């Protein structure tokens, strides 16, 4: 059988011919970081910034006071470890080995490369952005999973990085592909920035509104009612619907506690799971309940409540269900933003924490009239809708890029 030609399915019209399928080693200069002595490393912002594995996350470099470190000694003999703009850096160990890869930007130029991080530069035959697109890909992730045989901390060696094979067209074609896909990345980055700004705006607005520092003129003189959560409603526990009963062909809609962390935001608008547990062994919503997770790994996790406006939905075990005549969506925003520390203080247990509703119902709250609650909830919900629209745009653009990657490379 004739060997399949190495040409992409999708290609710019001006290019033709087969791509060369070869190891990265032929097209890159790779350098592993330097083992700096602990005595020469400082947390203070003095000295030369170090680029550590923890600074590299999926697609970009991150910084914070908690993770940034600095080299306090002379760097004259360490010039080869100084990073330049557009250097590709790759974390060589950790749970996300192979995924934590990024390009150095102007802000991080001049940083020093530390051990367990590799630096890749393209030779004259290749474009570093083209190589980055191949390394920051699901195919490279699969390759790392195969070559990583460590039973301890996942690790990839410099030799294994060099041995990774990709298809190489001409330098001109590499540059055109990289430029085109970089414009898609730029669009994704702009959408992500917009999402962050909306989320920051929401946090700021919530603090002002729910501390009642900012009120509508209509309600400015109205009473703020004070009491415990149990004074404004009552709790019960969900029942059944374990993960093993969730089936695509099941008929009973349900909400499980894990989905309060992973799937739903403040308002549950569409049910994602269905259980085959017999209805007589379940507890169903009437519509308007606030769902509070009863277990979690971090005490601060419990401020992940969701409002369930839908009736006839089975509510799974490990969920405390709050029934109230107040506006449930308002109370969900209130609990998640204003009661985070209060919930954390009431957690019991060891590694897996438990939050029983007999403690939650004793928490003091301050709330306005139902009419004002409704207006606040509607306003915050409108912000969430905007965030969700941007999130959908990000997801669609990422899927578009993934499709391009599958068709534009060999």
């Amino acid at each position: 059988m004739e060997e399949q030609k190495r040409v992409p399915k999708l290609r710019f019209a001006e290019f033709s011919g087969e791509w060369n399928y070869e190891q990265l080693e032929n097209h890159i200069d790779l350098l592993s970081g330097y083992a700096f002595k602990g005595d020469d490393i400082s947390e203070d912002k003095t000295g030369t910034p170090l680029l550590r594995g923890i600074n590299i996350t999926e697609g970009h470099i991150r910084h914070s006071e908690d993770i940034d470190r600095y080299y306090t000694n002379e760097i004259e003999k360490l010039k080869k470890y100084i990073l330049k703009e557009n250097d590709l850096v790759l974390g060589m160990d950790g749970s996300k080995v192979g995924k934590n890869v990024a390009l150095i930007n102007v802000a991080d130029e001049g940083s020093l490369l530390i051990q367990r991080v590799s630096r890749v530069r393209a030779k004259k035959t290749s474009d570093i952005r083209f190589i980055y697109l191949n390394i920051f890909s699901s195919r490279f992730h699969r390759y790392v999973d195969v070559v990583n045989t460590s039973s301890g901390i996942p690790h990839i060696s410099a030799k294994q990085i060099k041995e990774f094979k990709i298809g190489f067209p001409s330098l001109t074609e590499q540059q055109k592909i990289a430029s085109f896909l970089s414009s898609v990345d730029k669009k994704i980055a702009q959408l992500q920035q917009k999402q962050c700004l909306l989320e920051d705006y929401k946090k700021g607005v919530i603090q002002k509104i729910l501390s009642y520092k900012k009120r509508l003129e209509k309600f400015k003189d109205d009473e703020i009612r004070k009491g415990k959560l149990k004074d404004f409603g009552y709790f019960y526990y969900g029942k059944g619907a374990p993960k093993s009963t969730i089936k695509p062909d099941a008929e009973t809609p349900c909400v499980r506690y894990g989905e309060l962390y992973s799937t739903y935001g403040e308002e549950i608008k569409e049910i994602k799971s269905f259980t085959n547990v017999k209805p007589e062994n379940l507890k169903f919503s009437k519509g308007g309940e606030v769902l509070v997770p009863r277990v979690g790994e971090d005490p601060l996790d419990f401020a992940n409540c969701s409002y369930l406006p839908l009736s006839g939905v089975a509510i799974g075990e490990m969920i405390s269900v709050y029934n109230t005549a107040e506006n449930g969506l308002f109370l969900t925003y209130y609990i998640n933003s204003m009661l985070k520390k209060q919930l954390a203080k009431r957690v019991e247990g060891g590694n897996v924490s438990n939050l029983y509703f007999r403690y939650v119902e004793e928490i003091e709250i301050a709330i306005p009239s139902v009419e004002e609650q409704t207006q606040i909830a509607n306003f915050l919900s409108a912000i969430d809708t905007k965030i969700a629209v941007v999130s959908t745009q990000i997801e669609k653009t990422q899927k578009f890029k993934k499709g391009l990657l599958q068709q534009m490379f060999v």
Side-chain angles (χ1 to χ4, degrees), residues 42-45 52 55 62-70:
S42 170
E43 295 183 17
D44 299 329
K45 295 181 180 180
R52 304 194 297 154
N55 291 114
R62 61 181 175 179
H63 293 286
S64 74
E65 290 184 2
D66 294 333
I67 64 176
D68 285 350
R69 298 292 183 270
Y70 302 84

Side-chain angles (χ1 to χ4, degrees), residues 323-363:
N323 291 260
T324 179
E326 307 295 323
N327 185 295
L329 182 56
F330 168 85
L331 282 171
T332 300
Y333 283 115
Y334 186 92
I335 293 170
N336 286 349
S337 60
M338 308 302 287
L339 302 184
K340 186 184 288 283
K341 292 182 180 179
Q342 292 283 352
L343 293 173
K345 286 179 182 178
R346 287 162 170 78
V347 169
E348 285 190 342
N351 293 330
V352 178
S353 302
N354 289 278
L355 182 64
Y356 299 107
F357 73 63
R358 65 178 179 271
Y359 301 122
V360 178
E361 62 187 6
E362 295 294 327
I363 295 177

Side-chain angles (χ1 to χ4, degrees), residues 103-350:
L103 289 172
I104 294 295
N105 56 30
V106 176
D108 291 299
E109 190 172 26
S111 299
L112 288 167
L113 188 73
I114 201 169
Q115 64 180 341
R116 295 192 292 277
V117 179
S118 62
R119 183 269 292 152
V120 174
R121 287 178 184 162
K123 294 181 178 178
K124 293 182 179 181
T125 54
S126 296
D127 184 271
I128 192 62
R129 296 173 302 161
F130 179 83
I131 292 172
Y132 167 74
L133 289 166
N134 278 275
I135 289 183
F136 191 44
S137 69
S138 57
R139 196 168 74 82
F140 184 70
H141 301 161
R142 290 193 298 269
Y143 169 77
V144 173
D145 289 340
V146 171
V147 300
N148 169 39
T149 57
S150 171
S151 59
I153 298 175
H155 175 81
I156 186 170
S157 68
K159 180 175 181 292
Q160 289 165 337
I161 295 171
K162 291 177 181 179
E163 289 175 347
F164 180 59
K165 286 186 175 182
I166 66 174
F168 284 93
S170 67
L171 178 58
T172 305
E173 188 170 1
Q174 289 181 45
Q175 291 170 335
K176 184 149 188 178
I177 292 170
S179 179
F180 174 68
L181 289 173
S182 293
S183 66
V184 180
D185 281 335
K186 185 177 180 180
K187 176 65 176 177
I188 292 172
Q190 289 171 341
L191 288 170
Q192 289 171 333
Q193 183 181 25
K194 184 177 180 180
Q195 185 181 39
C196 288
L197 290 172
L198 282 169
E199 288 171 346
D200 288 344
Y201 171 69
K202 175 187 170 183
K203 288 177 184 177
V205 165
I206 280 179
Q207 289 301 315
K208 289 181 179 179
I209 291 180
L210 298 186
S211 61
Y212 311 116
K213 294 178 180 179
K214 185 176 182 180
R215 300 180 74 183
L216 293 173
E217 186 70 23
K218 178 180 179 180
F219 302 110
K220 70 174 186 176
D221 296 322
D222 287 3
E223 176 190 9
I224 298 295
R225 295 172 292 154
K226 296 182 178 180
K228 297 179 179 179
L229 274 170
K230 67 180 182 181
D231 298 328
F232 299 100
Y234 66 93
F235 283 93
Y236 70 83
Y237 291 131
K239 183 180 180 182
K243 186 176 181 179
S244 60
T245 71
I246 306 302
K247 306 293 181 184
D249 58 349
E251 296 183 355
T252 304
C254 68
V255 174
R256 302 181 62 253
Y257 88 91
E259 294 174 323
L260 302 183
Y261 297 116
S262 63
T263 305
Y264 300 119
E266 265 91 2
E267 183 174 2
I268 299 173
K269 296 182 179 181
E270 180 184 359
I271 301 301
K272 303 293 185 181
S273 298
F274 294 83
T275 180
N276 60 15
V277 173
K278 294 180 179 179
E280 57 265 30
N281 295 325
L282 296 167
K283 289 187 177 181
F284 291 89
S285 65
K286 295 179 180 178
E289 292 90 346
V290 179
L291 309 185
V292 185
R294 208 182 97 194
V295 296
E297 295 181 0
D298 186 327
L300 293 175
D301 281 347
F302 295 93
N304 269 289
C305 305
S306 294
Y307 170 63
L308 180 59
L310 309 171
S311 62
V313 177
I315 302 172
E317 57 190 352
M318 301 303 173
I319 294 177
S320 295
V321 186
Y322 185 54
N323 291 260
T324 179
E326 307 295 323
N327 185 295
L329 182 56
F330 168 85
L331 282 171
T332 300
Y333 283 115
Y334 186 92
I335 293 170
N336 286 349
S337 60
M338 308 302 287
L339 302 184
K340 186 184 288 283
K341 292 182 180 179
Q342 292 283 352
L343 293 173
K345 286 179 182 178
R346 287 162 170 78
V347 169
E348 285 190 342

Side-chain angles (χ1 to χ4, degrees), residues 34-44 46 50 52 68-73 114-115:
Y34 182 76
F36 293 91
K37 294 180 180 179
D39 292 343
D40 294 329
I41 297 176
S42 170
E43 295 183 17
D44 299 329
T46 54
L50 295 173
R52 304 194 297 154
D68 285 350
R69 298 292 183 270
Y70 302 84
Y71 180 62
T72 57
N73 216 327
I114 201 169
Q115 64 180 341

